[in-house]
Amino acid sequence: MAGHLPRGAMLVVARLTRSWRPRYARSPMQISNFPVLQMHKSQTAMRASQKDFESAVNQMKLLTKDPGNEMKLKLYALYKQATEGPCNMPKPGMLDLISKAKWDAWSALGSLPKETAKQNYVELVSSLSSSASSSQGKPDADSKQPGYETLVVTSENGITKIMLNRPTKKNAITTQMYQEIMLALEAAAKDDSAITVLTGNGDYYCSGNDLNNFTDIPPGGVEEKAKNSAILLRDFVGCFIDFPKPLIAVVNGPAVGISVTLLGLFDIVYASDRATFHTPFSHLGQSPEGCSSYMFPKIMGSAKAAEMLIFGKKLTAREACAQGLVTEVFPDSTFQKEVWTRLKAYSKLPPNAMRISKQLIRNVEKEKLHAINSEESSVLQGRWLSDECTNAIMNFLSRKAKL
Ligand SMILES: CCCCC/C=C/CC(=O)SCCNC(=O)CCNC(=O)[C@H](O)C(C)(C)COP(=O)(O)OP(=O)(O)OC[C@H]1O[C@@H](n2cnc3c(N)ncnc32)[C@H](O)[C@@H]1OP(=O)(O)O
């Protein structure tokens, strides 16, 4: 919660709990009686109908374990988005902290379509039921994997899904999140799943590096910070270079910075037609990473790559598809359903054959990619110490500049 909500909201969300008393004191948890809540996450994504939505809403009323304030705010926001569409309320005053926390959560969903909000709501309730039944000691193949604070990681039907889970911050990647993604990839590389998927929760896929990462300066000063960040970046991108199984990006909304550059290292990129692709490195006084200085010219030709990486041209999903960065674009209204139906079919292909084919393709230039990654990280280390970069980040943090 601490990193996800304004401080004022943190102080008062506890008050939300009062009007949301858990019923565990009154009756035992009956989640297992509700089939919709036992469905696997991808199944719910594919099938979320009005009936599923209503069942999930009813189930929330019976939930006996308090899911926590952050989860309640997420559920509130998705419910409002699903039933009323984008936030249409005037922003509450600063002192009305509870209403402000709720307003923030709802408005953070931006223009997320009602249908997607409905599906996400059903998925979220489903994930609550998974962890609830696990905590009751029941076997649960669909359980959310524990130990992640910034991600939701699930494994089912041969698919490990890693979902970036800071929707109120547009899934900006914090230092902790870089670490957790590396851990999740490491685990996914070894688990039983055939394919691995990276996606985002909320209206954004990811807004790139969390610019607040640069404000946490260690005793060794900014030079040490830049050095540590370059090591973290190199290790992080290295995990994508080395990932041994088919890796698929499900780009549910706009993507910025490192979340775009990394796409060149994925095997498939499916995008909603709401997604955009933006690498504003020059605007930020920075330079490309994620092996994009090599992969983007290779994928789209040097002129188109330069337009993105040097001049920060933002592409629509269809433009990114025409240039080969995106595999296929889907209408946002059917995005989740179509993509997960496709992925479920792919996940049934012989896993060893898929893994071997992927490695044949990747091994040709793995060494080269590692060398490019090291070079890009080292160049960025210098950039982070430049006035151009410092000023751009200060401008964002003092809210003078946005993309
Ligand atoms: C180990 C280090 C490795 C480093 C690797 C380097 C990578 C390079 C990059 O990734 S460069 C890209 C960096 N990203 C950005 O510059 C994006 C900055 N964000 C924005 O411009 C906007 O927030 C937006 C266009 C993404 C969305 O605008 P919108 O108006 O729709 O929403 P808000 O601005 O109100 O955003 C909601 C809250 O989310 C916070 N936030 C969004 N993105 C980031 C971010 N990248 N870093 C930090 N915080 C971010 C935003 O500040 C709002 O928070 P608030 O509600 O507390 O105000």
Side-chain angles (χ1 to χ4, degrees), residues 131-150:
S131 49
S133 57
S134 303
S135 66
Q136 289 179 325
K138 291 185 186 157
D140 182 13
D142 178 26
S143 64
K144 179 181 147 192
Q145 294 176 18
Y148 299 102
E149 285 180 21
T150 63

Side-chain angles (χ1 to χ4, degrees), residues 168-170 207 209-211 258 289 396 399 402-403:
T168 58
K169 300 292 177 187
K170 310 293 182 194
S207 63
N209 185 43
D210 189 312
L211 296 173
I258 190 165
E289 23 58 4
F396 175 77
R399 295 299 185 271
K402 229 178 229 188
L403 295 174

Side-chain angles (χ1 to χ4, degrees), residues 61-266:
K61 294 179 191 152
L62 295 169
L63 197 64
T64 54
K65 188 173 173 218
D66 186 345
N69 292 325
E70 185 175 3
M71 179 60 80
K72 281 184 269 181
L73 281 172
K74 270 185 205 158
L75 288 163
Y76 165 82
L78 285 171
Y79 177 84
K80 295 292 274 183
Q81 192 86 6
T83 52
E84 295 180 39
C87 181
N88 51 11
M89 310 269 291
K91 191 169 184 172
M94 292 305 287
L95 296 177
D96 190 0
L97 295 174
I98 295 176
S99 304
K100 170 94 175 15
K102 290 165 120 180
W103 187 92
D104 282 341
W106 185 9
S107 62
L109 295 180
S111 56
L112 188 74
K114 280 184 172 181
E115 282 311 304
T116 313
K118 207 179 279 180
Q119 282 172 354
N120 289 354
Y121 183 94
V122 173
E123 276 200 0
L124 207 53
V125 174
S126 173
S127 76
L128 279 177
S129 88
S130 294
S131 49
S133 57
S134 303
S135 66
Q136 289 179 325
K138 291 185 186 157
D140 182 13
D142 178 26
S143 64
K144 179 181 147 192
Q145 294 176 18
Y148 299 102
E149 285 180 21
T150 63
L151 310 174
V152 175
V153 182
T154 51
S155 214
E156 49 153 337
N157 293 332
I159 306 175
T160 291
K161 172 171 144 188
I162 301 171
M163 183 165 73
L164 309 177
N165 193 30
R166 296 183 75 220
T168 58
K169 300 292 177 187
K170 310 293 182 194
N171 297 321
I173 310 178
T174 58
T175 303
Q176 178 185 7
M177 204 160 171
Y178 284 111
Q179 302 283 5
E180 289 192 359
I181 295 169
M182 288 194 281
L183 286 174
L185 286 175
E186 204 179 304
K190 294 184 204 140
D191 71 16
D192 290 339
S193 62
I195 62 178
T196 300
V197 173
L198 188 70
T199 191
N201 187 14
D203 64 337
Y204 258 64
Y205 173 64
C206 173
S207 63
N209 185 43
D210 189 312
L211 296 173
N212 293 294
N213 287 341
F214 294 112
T215 60
D216 176 23
I217 306 298
V222 287
E223 284 80 10
E224 186 183 330
K225 177 76 197 174
K227 187 170 161 223
N228 293 344
S229 300
I231 293 169
L232 177 59
L233 174 63
R234 191 200 57 205
D235 292 350
F236 177 72
V237 175
C239 288
F240 287 82
I241 298 172
D242 289 334
F243 194 71
K245 298 177 179 178
L247 185 60
I248 292 122
V250 171
V251 185
N252 53 298
V256 185
I258 190 165
S259 69
V260 177
T261 56
L262 279 174
L263 295 175
L265 297 173
F266 281 69

Side-chain angles (χ1 to χ4, degrees), residues 28 40 48 121 154 202 224 231 253 269 299 305 315 347 358 370 384 401:
H40 290 175
Y121 183 94
T154 51
E224 186 183 330
I231 293 169
V269 179
I299 291 168
L315 301 190
S347 72
K358 154 132 196 188
H370 279 298
W384 288 326

Side-chain angles (χ1 to χ4, degrees), residues 314-352:
K314 190 197 281 187
L315 301 190
T316 63
R318 297 210 185 283
E319 287 168 339
C321 190
Q323 288 171 21
L325 183 63
V326 164
T327 314
E328 194 168 334
V329 181
F330 299 82
D332 195 62
S333 55
T334 54
F335 179 60
Q336 298 290 344
K337 185 167 185 260
E338 290 193 59
V339 162
W340 288 103
T341 303
R342 182 90 60 93
L343 292 178
K344 211 172 159 193
Y346 287 169
S347 72
K348 297 204 172 10
L349 293 169
N352 291 335

